[in-house]
Amino acid sequence: MNDSSFRLPGGTGTSRPPGAGRRPLPTAAAIKLIVHDYAGHPFQVELSRELARRGYDVVHAYFADDRGPKGDMRRRPDDPPGLSFRGLHVGGYSKDDFVRRRFGDLAYGRALAALVRREGADLVLSGNTPTEAQEALPGACQSVGAHFIPWVQDFYSVAATRLLAGRLGWPGWLIGAFYRRLERRQLARADAIVLITEQFRALAERWSGEPGKVFTIENWGHLGISPLPKATPWSLRHGLAHGFNFLYSGTLGLKHDPAMLVQLARAMAGRARVVVAAQGSGMARLARMDARPDNLVLLPLQSFADLPSTLACADVALALIEPDAGAFSVPSKVQSYLCAGRPVLLSSPRENLAAQVLERERAGLVTAPGDAAAFVAAAERLLGDAALRDGLAARGRAYAEATYDIGRVADRFERVFGRARARRPAPAAHDLQPTTE
């Protein structure tokens, strides 16, 4: 298989402890790495811990003001000494106000660039970053001689174009064109590019101009999210240990239609709850609803420590993605659902990677986005068929155990790091730009 097209997770294997049977690469101790995940998701934190265990000096940076799902970014007693965390703050940031969000993204980009210049680095791996915020990063990397590796979780500019054009018409297309130009320039300046799905490859290769620097590493779930019994102290405390629960957990934002959850709750009245433990603009819409269904239970987004218990209360785990975002965004919550051993009901385009995994592995049911009738019909089928639910859940957990090994994932990232460094040797000290804040 060509190095630039390897895929992981995928294939078969058995789960093992992180890094089992591996030694740090001889050069790892000499490499300073900034792993920047704007969102602060659990699986990116897991990668930083594994790379630090291998001897890298890792700074894990994230947007501390973002209210989305977060991993465990506290120093643990068993953490390697080379691991540290940096939460970045931007005052007055709002995802719901376009103007405030844009100025917040620009401020965040400046804070991120300042971190890179202050810390210094050999490699900077950056994911989930808004386009304008990321624009400051290639120059900051160049100023300290760092190799820049964007980790493309979705094409922010493409999704923004579709959303803005739907709301604003032709002005939205013009704004989207500006963001596409920025994202294209960033990929062209990258030393390597990591994609989460092969569906992104054609566009990434065209925009970067160098197919050989584009790699695919599929997202994974944190196997520390293990299956638990439904009755836990958490579910008992929230009155969710008994009765049938459909659960949506995570971000409920512009790429998700909360009306689907309302319609499901109405269809399940008297038979099941629809539990939404989330944050985002969609969650705010649900909270403001008049005459909200009694069986629609709203909870704040839960901490990573409580996530296994939260997911354990689900008889069926739910995920949504809108048609306009489906080709260029993959709902990462699905991986957590599979780790938790829960059957999944996903409303998504079938070409979406999460939909393909669920259907291929027979770990969940997939319905067309926006088709509330089909979504409810699939939920009815799952409600009435315990054997179906058990089979989907078992196959999903088996897939997670076979493919989400963090040691194998880190191996793939190390290969990308090696290719990035080989492509462009680090500059001599006198060639670097002056470091400024």
Side-chain angles (χ1 to χ4, degrees):
M1 182 179 293
N2 188 291
D3 281 347
S4 64
S5 62
F6 59 66
R7 297 174 62 232
L8 192 90
T12 60
T14 57
S15 180
R16 58 191 168 203
R22 295 183 177 84
R23 294 176 298 171
L25 295 183
T27 58
I31 297 175
K32 184 160 188 178
L33 170 65
I34 294 177
V35 176
H36 169 249
D37 172 38
Y38 175 92
H41 285 150
F43 65 94
Q44 283 96 336
V45 179
E46 185 185 31
L47 176 64
S48 289
R49 282 196 159 91
E50 172 64 11
L51 291 170
R53 189 205 65 79
R54 295 181 178 209
Y56 290 83
D57 183 358
V58 180
V59 174
H60 187 97
Y62 64 100
F63 184 21
D65 297 333
D66 180 72
R67 294 173 294 170
K70 294 285 185 290
D72 184 1
M73 284 173 283
R74 302 167 299 174
R75 282 282 308 176
R76 300 173 182 170
D78 61 344
D79 275 339
L83 176 66
S84 60
F85 297 98
R86 302 286 188 275
L88 302 178
H89 296 270
V90 175
Y93 192 92
S94 172
K95 286 190 174 182
D96 301 324
D97 182 302
F98 178 77
V99 174
R100 288 176 62 192
R101 179 169 185 169
R102 179 170 186 266
F103 282 102
D105 286 346
L106 292 171
Y108 186 83
R110 291 192 294 271
L112 178 59
L115 172 76
V116 171
R117 293 188 176 104
R118 184 170 61 248
E119 295 284 345
D122 297 294
L123 295 159
V124 176
L125 175 68
S126 179
N128 282 311
T129 314
T131 303
E132 284 194 277
Q134 184 114 302
E135 180 66 10
L137 200 49
C141 290
Q142 184 180 22
S143 73
V144 298
H147 295 83
F148 171 52
I149 306 174
W151 186 357
V152 182
Q153 296 285 326
D154 60 18
F155 280 98
Y156 183 93
S157 63
V158 175
T161 299
R162 294 178 176 179
L163 289 169
L164 291 171
R167 292 184 174 192
L168 305 177
W170 67 265
W173 282 106
L174 291 178
I175 297 170
F178 167 72
Y179 285 122
R180 291 196 303 276
R181 181 174 65 84
L182 291 185
E183 196 159 17
R184 183 169 189 159
R185 183 164 66 190
Q186 291 161 20
L187 295 184
R189 297 179 71 182
D191 296 294
I193 300 165
V194 176
L195 312 175
I196 65 169
T197 171
E198 279 293 296
Q199 291 174 278
F200 294 176
R201 175 170 293 277
L203 185 58
E205 290 183 346
R206 186 165 74 250
W207 281 8
S208 72
E210 295 185 51
K213 71 179 184 182
V214 180
F215 302 84
T216 299
I217 304 177
E218 293 178 10
N219 282 349
W220 65 98
H222 195 308
L223 286 173
I225 303 172
S226 56
L228 296 175
K230 186 173 181 177
T232 65
W234 185 93
S235 63
L236 290 166
R237 186 166 68 250
H238 289 88
L240 300 173
H242 306 287
F244 198 99
N245 300 320
F246 291 93
L247 172 75
Y248 183 100
S249 174
T251 298
L252 187 61
L254 295 175
K255 294 182 286 189
H256 319 104
D257 182 5
M260 297 279 282
L261 302 175
V262 175
Q263 293 183 65
L264 177 60
R266 287 176 176 152
M268 294 292 163
R271 296 182 293 159
R273 305 180 194 90
V274 176
V275 181
V276 184
Q279 67 82 37
S281 58
M283 185 65 167
R285 285 171 57 188
L286 293 180
R288 292 194 300 265
M289 272 189 66
D290 294 326
R292 189 167 65 238
D294 292 339
N295 63 330
L296 181 60
V297 180
L298 304 185
L299 297 174
L301 187 70
Q302 301 299 297
S303 69
F304 181 71
D306 284 331
L307 184 58
S309 295
T310 304
L311 300 184
C313 88
D315 295 281
V316 174
L318 305 173
L320 310 168
I321 194 159
E322 289 286 84
D324 287 344
F328 294 102
S329 182
V330 179
S332 59
K333 59 177 59 66
V334 170
Q335 283 89 0
S336 295
Y337 293 163
L338 298 179
C339 289
R342 289 320 189 246
V344 181
L345 173 54
L346 170 65
S347 172
S348 162
R350 277 187 159 77
E351 64 267 22
N352 188 274
L353 177 61
Q356 292 177 355
V357 169
L358 291 177
E359 293 195 315
R360 183 186 70 232
E361 303 299 326
R362 295 183 298 131
L365 303 185
V366 179
T367 65
D371 189 341
F375 191 66
V376 170
E380 292 275 8
R381 182 183 170 196
L382 289 164
L383 175 66
D385 193 337
L388 173 62
R389 297 196 305 271
D390 290 345
L392 296 174
R395 288 187 291 271
R397 176 63 192 186
Y399 171 77
E401 290 179 351
T403 58
Y404 292 170
D405 173 53
I406 189 58
R408 293 174 60 211
V409 172
D411 287 346
R412 299 300 193 186
F413 276 95
E414 287 198 303
R415 289 172 62 188
V416 174
F417 299 160
R419 291 290 288 273
R421 300 182 80 206
R423 177 182 175 273
R424 180 178 63 84
H430 57 75
D431 293 330
L432 299 180
Q433 298 176 7
T435 298
T436 58
E437 293 295 333

